[in-house]
Amino acid sequence: MEVFGPTVQGEGMVIGRKTMFVRTAGCDYQCSWCDSAFTWDGTGKADIRLLSAKEIFDELLAVGGEGFDHVTISGGNPALLPQLASLIDLLHAEGIRVALETQGSRWQPWFTVIDDLTLSPKPPTSGMVTDLGKLDEIIGELSQAKTVFCLKVVVFDEADLAYAKTIHIRYPGVPFYLQAGNGNLLETDPAALLPYLVERYEWLIEFVMDDNELRGVHVLPQLHTWVWGNKKGV
């Protein structure tokens, strides 16, 4: 659906990393606060293109030039696409690192060769229900393959934070990231949105610092929204 960049990665374990983005269409979830709902709700249907791995790589070069060595594959849920293996192999052959984020609802064998993999199970405010058995299976496969990966949970309220804690406790050896959620997706002025985002980040920091069970966690803002607000393609 989109190829854009270079820009900074706004989330997860490689936050701040200069990267290109490839956004795929389709998702098996319909999160209530999804900031990329156009990938699955039909509003972005006209932007969907069927491209080969080589065509995607050529577009990355056309858009980003030679100023990148890192590509983030996003969605939707890119884990729905087994054929992404060919793109990942091509990027690696060109000396480019690959990051990918998925909610941990589907397994793909190529997960094990992703350089920076984020599993982001969705909390109660999303309206989705996590299949913990499937998540156990995926994390078991990744751990056995010694894949570099992390867990990230977006938090909007105390129920989400309680959910995040259960995930952190369930997988104690996995690097864990908490991210303040953006519940104001309709604001078009970045300057007007920023005070709200700062307040939500401060709220999350305060709760995490007061919780003795949330040790060894990273507490993040959604960095790109602080700069560009809800703008698409940045």
Side-chain angles (χ1 to χ4, degrees), residues 17 41-42 74 79 83 92 102 118 139 151 160 163 169 175 177 197 211 221 224-226:
R17 179 70 155 90
D41 67 4
S74 185
Q83 60 269 40
H92 281 157
T102 178
T118 297
I139 288 177
L151 283 159
D160 285 356
Y163 167 89
I169 291 171
Y177 293 77
L197 296 174
D211 193 317
H224 57 283
T225 61
W226 284 39

Side-chain angles (χ1 to χ4, degrees), residues 13 59 112 119 129 171 202 220:
M13 67 166 130
E59 188 160 335
T112 60
L119 302 180
V129 177
Y171 310 106
E202 289 178 335
L220 300 179

Side-chain angles (χ1 to χ4, degrees), residues 93-109:
E94 296 292 335
I96 296 170
R97 291 180 62 86
V98 180
L100 184 138
E101 180 170 324
T102 178
Q103 59 261 43
S105 60
R106 300 288 184 96
W107 165 256
Q108 292 292 348

Side-chain angles (χ1 to χ4, degrees), residues 20 28 42 52 63 69 84 119 126 133 142-144 156 162 185 188:
M20 294 291 293
D28 50 329
S52 68
V63 173
D69 63 356
L84 279 177
L119 302 180
S126 71
L142 294 172
S143 298
Q144 185 173 357
F156 287 83
L185 298 177
T188 58

Side-chain angles (χ1 to χ4, degrees), residues 16-164:
R17 179 70 155 90
K18 184 179 182 181
T19 190
M20 294 291 293
F21 274 86
V22 174
R23 187 183 299 282
T24 63
C27 194
D28 50 329
Y29 278 18
Q30 296 181 0
C31 296
S32 61
W33 35 252
C34 179
D35 60 3
S36 305
F38 60 89
T39 62
W40 52 262
D41 67 4
T43 60
K45 186 176 180 180
D47 294 330
I48 297 175
R49 295 174 293 152
L50 297 175
L51 301 178
S52 68
K54 178 64 164 55
E55 288 170 330
I56 295 171
F57 181 66
D58 288 346
E59 188 160 335
L60 283 164
L61 292 177
V63 173
E66 297 182 358
F68 69 94
D69 63 356
H70 191 273
V71 170
T72 299
I73 303 174
S74 185
N77 183 9
L80 298 178
L81 303 174
Q83 60 269 40
L84 279 177
S86 59
L87 175 61
I88 295 161
D89 289 345
L90 176 56
L91 292 170
H92 281 157
E94 296 292 335
I96 296 170
R97 291 180 62 86
V98 180
L100 184 138
E101 180 170 324
T102 178
Q103 59 261 43
S105 60
R106 300 288 184 96
W107 165 256
Q108 292 292 348
W110 47 256
F111 280 5
T112 60
V113 296
I114 296 293
D115 300 292
D116 306 304
L117 177 64
T118 297
L119 302 180
S120 184
K122 306 308 178 188
T125 54
S126 71
M128 301 293 105
V129 177
T130 302
D131 182 342
L132 289 173
K134 174 58 69 175
L135 192 57
D136 287 347
E137 175 188 325
I138 291 171
I139 288 177
E141 293 278 0
L142 294 172
S143 298
Q144 185 173 357
K146 294 181 170 38
T147 305
V148 176
F149 73 102
C150 73
L151 283 159
K152 185 193 80 178
V153 177
V154 179
V155 174
F156 287 83
D157 62 17
E158 292 183 48
D160 285 356
L161 193 57
Y163 167 89

